[in-house]
Amino acid sequence: MTDRFHPAGVPITEDDATIAAALEEVSVPTLMMSMVHMTGDTSILRGPLRPAGIFLNEVQGFMSQADQAAVRAQALDVIRAYRDGGCRLPPPPSPETIHEMMCFLVGGDVPAEYVPMMLEEMELDGHDVRGFRWDREVSDAARRSFHVVVIGCGMSGLLAAIRLDEAGIPYTVVEKNRSAGGTWFENRYPGCRVDVGNHFYCYSFEPNHEWSEFFARQPELQAYFERCLDKYGVRDKVRFETEVVGASYDESEGRWSVRIRNRNGSEEVLRAAAVVSAVGQLNRPKLPDIAGIDRFGGPSMHSAAWRPDCDLVGKRVAVIGTGASAFQIVPTIAETCAHLSVFQRSAPWMFPNPHYHAKVGAGKKWALEHLPYYARWYRFLLFWPGCDGGLDAMRIDPDWPDQEHSTSPMNDAARQSFTQYLTSQVGDDEDLLAKVIPDYVCLGKRTLQDNGSWLAALKRDDVDLITDSIREIREDAIVCESGAVHPVDVIVYATGFHANRFLWPMEIVGRGGVKLAEQWGNEPSAYLGITVPNFPNFFCIYGPGTNLAHGGSLIFHSECQVRYIMGCLKELLEGGHAAIECRQSVHDEYDRKLQEALAGMVWSHPSIRSSWYRNDAGRVTVLSPWRLVDYWRWTQRPDPEDFVFS
């Protein structure tokens, strides 16, 4: 077993001046939670110094500077006494006090149904509840004969491997890249970074107190997963630079045959009792269908296949697309290029995040490492604003009169707020403002976080934002439908991925010779996004209908899904079964409710003409409309009644 982290922090030995300096960088509301743990004094929760509310990325609770200073002064006395007393903690807060602390920290009510989920996420007792545990005796021979193949060693595949290792179940991870990290290995474009706060965007059981930025860049993210790969002993179970070509299920043996292609091009077959797909949705780059795309004579690249050998200095560069990748690329390269042309099909909605490029100071790192339970409450503080509170703004209210511009009072309030933010940056440039105000309802597509760098780049004299449709690409230029010709030396395609082509291009063949691609057609579906009828012992992580567009993080979702998958394997092995398969009726009823819910969400609104959230027929297949607390509850353990065992 690897060393566990210490939620109570490591002993404090620093002098008063060092501690006082560190406190200048902390989240004061979170600091107050640590003070309760250090003193056992709950009167802190009922005094006049308190957070006024909460908002995504606002970690000071809208407290005044004077109130923050007063808390820091009190905290220095508390920490001094704790240090000088040998860093001994009083008895832990009662469950009732913990709930009161949650409500205090967010400046509002935390409904009781959320408390168990948040306690599990925080791990205040240092106990990894999502870890695997057997309930009944399973022989070593039974476990050894149950080999699992995991496809992919990104964030979720690595997580599956860690849990399989805990269970003592043999496994092989097949990874097409030369190292771990998935999207954080492949996406190396300039400015690439995560858009979920990093102290939340890490495994719940493996926090990292050394992030250098609040929203870390790609190299640091990939390094985190590399460290986990080694810390949890997974590396020697991974077949790197190896790709799964297909998999087929043998009913007579109750085994999968997984066909893989090695780095030298040779193929072989791995036999497996179960297969876990962890291939991701944003995995296969998608190039636009533009006439002449192959005629371009200069360097060109997709954002997910960045060419580090391509020097942009002094070049005329075109970026096609204004989604999440372009949003990071454009401000990063704008100063480098001689001229930058940004081709926009639809403008992105965005909201302010002043911390988006901010560095984590030494004081914050010290607090995360030393102050009792500070890191766990800070994780809660980052999670809660994106924990279902914004879901109502994404629902379509059929009685709302102004469906052309918004979908509900909450959605309209978001539209007005985001529009005001955009307007405040553009100033009196009416032409640019007309281009950057989206023409579809707010929150209908991926909403981006901005610290002012996007519009600052677009306002430069050497940057053009072009909204004309592209007619063709020539050897040295891009030609628009208007006839305008834009000479370019380099083209960057920030045009997304084949998000709706799940598991493509692998061929997965299940019971009775059913091909998964044919069963799914244009509308892939899985029960809870995890299991599929006709495909026994086959499981998806980040499967259909599980992408998050309203909060949480994919790591949280993956931890839910992997626990559920491990529960299915546990049912198999403890029950002495060979196979587990989702009942068709269970799948169909779930899919009916899913589609009904998605139809009432803003992502399905008719004002949206293009979105990777939708398939070719315009239906949403990739997103989850569910509350996080509901999905967490549904995936705590599988219900045997939902499955057929053999």
Side-chain angles (χ1 to χ4, degrees):
M1 187 69 173
T2 55
D3 292 337
R4 293 282 291 143
F5 69 91
H6 304 288
V10 300
I12 297 173
T13 59
E14 288 76 12
D15 60 28
D16 289 7
T18 301
I19 296 171
L23 295 183
E24 292 299 318
E25 299 183 14
V26 303
S27 159
V28 168
T30 311
L31 174 63
M32 298 176 79
M33 300 301 93
S34 184
M35 291 166 65
V36 173
H37 283 281
M38 283 186 278
T39 62
D41 182 5
T42 59
S43 67
I44 295 171
L45 306 175
R46 300 169 200 114
L49 299 174
R50 58 179 48 245
I54 195 169
F55 189 73
L56 195 65
N57 304 316
E58 166 38 57
V59 298
Q60 299 299 355
F62 300 102
M63 295 177 69
S64 69
Q65 292 295 324
D67 283 356
Q68 291 183 46
V71 172
R72 290 189 180 102
Q74 293 179 12
L76 183 58
D77 291 338
V78 167
I79 297 168
R80 181 190 299 114
Y82 172 72
R83 177 199 63 197
D84 296 345
C87 295
R88 288 190 292 271
L89 290 169
S94 67
E96 294 77 18
T97 298
I98 291 292
H99 190 191
E100 184 180 2
M101 293 168 74
M102 289 180 178
C103 297
F104 176 91
L105 184 59
V106 303
D109 182 42
V110 175
E113 66 174 322
Y114 284 87
V115 173
M117 180 181 78
M118 299 310 300
L119 284 174
E120 181 183 286
E121 179 71 20
M122 294 166 70
E123 296 186 31
L124 289 174
D125 60 0
H127 184 56
D128 180 12
V129 179
R130 294 173 191 162
F132 185 86
R133 292 159 191 85
W134 296 102
D135 289 334
R136 298 197 298 273
E137 183 71 25
V138 175
S139 69
D140 289 342
R143 278 184 282 177
R144 284 197 303 269
S145 66
F146 199 89
H147 188 265
V148 178
V149 168
V150 179
I151 308 173
C153 196
M155 173 273 294
S156 57
L158 174 56
L159 173 62
I162 291 171
R163 296 311 194 193
L164 287 165
D165 209 71
E166 286 178 348
I169 297 174
Y171 63 93
T172 300
V173 182
V174 182
E175 170 54 56
K176 71 180 189 302
N177 295 319
R178 67 177 184 273
S179 193
T183 190
W184 300 116
F185 175 85
E186 295 173 357
N187 287 273
R188 295 164 177 256
Y189 57 79
C192 181
R193 69 174 68 235
V194 71
D195 58 5
V196 174
N198 255 123
H199 297 93
F200 174 42
Y201 189 82
C202 49
Y203 298 132
S204 62
F205 56 88
E206 188 59 35
N208 179 24
H209 300 155
E210 294 300 320
W211 296 115
S212 66
E213 296 180 68
F214 291 100
F215 296 82
R217 286 175 282 184
Q218 175 270 330
E220 197 167 3
L221 291 158
Q222 205 254 327
Y224 169 80
F225 294 111
E226 283 279 345
R227 289 197 300 274
C228 292
L229 186 74
D230 290 322
K231 178 175 180 178
Y232 290 90
V234 175
R235 187 178 294 276
D236 63 351
K237 306 290 181 60
V238 185
R239 298 275 297 267
F240 289 113
E241 296 183 271
T242 305
E243 189 164 7
V244 172
V245 178
S248 58
Y249 183 71
D250 186 326
E251 292 181 66
S252 62
E253 296 186 7
R255 287 290 186 270
W256 282 90
S257 295
V258 182
R259 187 158 53 95
I260 63 174
R261 181 181 298 120
N262 296 304
R263 68 188 70 182
N264 62 6
S266 65
E267 293 190 359
E268 64 178 291
V269 174
L270 302 179
R271 300 284 284 167
V275 175
V276 177
S277 168
V279 298
Q281 291 181 16
L282 307 182
N283 182 258
R284 301 286 179 173
K286 183 178 183 179
L287 291 174
D289 183 16
I290 300 175
I293 192 171
D294 295 328
R295 296 208 313 261
F296 185 66
S300 64
M301 68 196 94
H302 191 278
S303 59
W306 192 264
R307 292 176 50 179
D309 62 326
C310 183
D311 186 5
L312 303 183
V313 176
K315 300 292 178 62
R316 298 169 300 179
V317 179
V319 174
I320 298 178
T322 52
S325 298
F327 200 78
Q328 296 176 338
I329 293 170
V330 167
T332 309
I333 68 172
E335 293 184 3
T336 300
C337 310
H339 190 274
L340 180 59
S341 299
V342 182
F343 291 83
Q344 173 180 283
R345 182 168 60 175
S346 61
W349 284 106
M350 65 190 75
F351 64 92
N353 177 7
H355 307 295
Y356 196 41
H357 293 171
K359 294 188 179 301
V360 180
K364 172 61 76 64
K365 293 179 183 180
W366 181 89
L368 290 164
E369 186 72 15
H370 291 82
L371 293 182
Y373 301 98
Y374 177 94
R376 308 317 290 169
W377 283 104
Y378 189 63
R379 187 178 180 96
F380 174 91
L381 185 64
L382 297 180
F383 189 1
W384 186 252
C387 187
D388 298 340
L391 198 55
D392 284 344
M394 297 185 175
R395 292 195 173 99
I396 298 174
D397 178 358
D399 297 325
W400 178 247
D402 189 12
Q403 290 288 337
E404 181 180 354
H405 297 102
S406 53
T407 62
S408 69
M410 285 185 66
N411 184 268
D412 194 59
R415 177 185 68 85
Q416 293 185 42
S417 175
F418 295 177
T419 300
Q420 183 179 17
Y421 174 66
L422 289 165
T423 303
S424 68
Q425 293 186 69
V426 172
D428 58 2
D429 189 339
E430 294 296 330
D431 290 339
L432 179 59
L433 184 62
K435 292 179 179 180
V436 300
I437 298 292
D439 60 359
Y440 54 90
V441 294
C442 189
L443 308 175
K445 298 173 69 170
R446 184 173 178 179
T447 307
L448 305 177
Q449 302 185 50
D450 177 56
N451 64 348
S453 59
W454 172 251
L455 286 175
L458 297 186
K459 289 162 66 176
R460 292 172 58 97
D461 292 338
D462 53 3
V463 176
D464 289 330
L465 179 62
I466 301 160
T467 56
D468 288 345
S469 298
I470 297 175
R471 178 199 300 168
E472 64 173 329
I473 296 177
R474 296 178 182 170
E475 185 175 339
D476 60 354
I478 294 176
V479 183
C480 292
E481 291 292 350
S482 64
V485 178
H486 302 275
V488 294
D489 303 311
V490 180
I491 298 179
V492 176
Y493 296 104
T495 48
F497 302 84
H498 291 281
N500 286 276
R501 301 182 72 175
F502 287 90
L503 303 179
W504 176 80
M506 294 182 293
E507 183 178 72
I508 311 297
V509 182
R511 181 171 52 81
V514 175
K515 294 182 178 180
L516 185 59
E518 294 179 358
Q519 177 171 309
W520 275 351
N522 201 34
E523 296 186 8
S525 61
Y527 177 52
L528 298 173
I530 300 172
T531 63
V532 185
N534 297 318
F535 293 83
N537 296 11
F538 183 85
F539 308 96
C540 295
I541 311 173
Y542 197 19
T546 62
N547 190 65
L548 292 171
H550 68 276
S553 85
L554 290 181
I555 290 185
F556 167 79
H557 240 209
S558 289
E559 290 193 12
C560 292
Q561 293 156 17
V562 169
R563 174 164 60 181
Y564 185 87
I565 292 168
M566 294 303 298
C568 290
L569 300 184
K570 183 177 177 180
E571 289 285 343
L572 279 174
L573 287 163
E574 290 186 347
H577 306 296
I580 181 173
E581 181 183 342
C582 177
R583 295 182 184 274
Q584 187 72 51
S585 59
V586 171
H587 167 275
D588 292 350
E589 178 61 13
Y590 174 82
D591 189 56
R592 182 190 66 78
K593 292 179 179 178
L594 176 71
Q595 292 301 324
E596 184 179 88
L598 286 169
M601 303 300 291
V602 66
W603 316 307
S604 300
H605 195 272
S607 66
I608 302 168
R609 294 184 298 279
S610 63
S611 171
W612 66 265
Y613 291 164
R614 298 179 177 186
N615 63 15
D616 293 339
R619 295 189 67 178
V620 177
T621 62
V622 302
L623 297 184
S624 170
W626 311 124
R627 296 191 310 165
L628 298 179
V629 70
D630 290 331
Y631 193 79
W632 169 81
R633 188 175 64 252
W634 297 338
T635 54
Q636 282 188 297
R637 62 188 61 84
D639 183 349
E641 295 300 314
D642 292 340
F643 298 91
V644 175
F645 293 88
S646 58

